[in-house]
Amino acid sequence: MKKALIKALQYLLLATIILVILNFRGDMNITPYIIALVILTIAKFLIHFFIEKKKR
C-alpha cells in the first residue's frame, strides 16, 4: 500500500506542477482541472494498490 500511495502522490505532484506552469499567466479557471486530477489520482492509487495486492 505504501508504494501505491507514493506513486499516486508523485503523479499528483507532477500533474499539479505542470498545471501551474500552464496557468502561469493566470487566465485559466483551474478548479475543474484540480478536481479531475484528484479523481485520477484516486483511480491511480486504487489500480496500483490492487496490482500490488495481487502480486503478494
Side-chain angles (χ1 to χ4, degrees), residues 8-56:
L9 290 177
Q10 285 176 341
Y11 169 78
L12 181 63
L13 181 65
L14 179 64
T16 305
I17 290 171
I18 291 171
L19 186 61
V20 168
I21 290 171
L22 290 175
N23 190 32
F24 187 68
R25 293 183 304 176
D27 58 352
M28 272 173 44
N29 181 15
I30 62 171
T31 305
Y33 295 105
I34 292 174
I35 293 170
L37 280 176
V38 169
I39 292 170
L40 287 173
T41 303
I42 292 170
K44 186 171 179 68
F45 168 73
L46 291 174
I47 289 169
H48 282 289
F49 177 72
F50 287 117
I51 288 173
E52 186 178 301
K53 190 175 180 180
K54 193 173 185 178
K55 284 183 181 178
R56 288 183 180 180

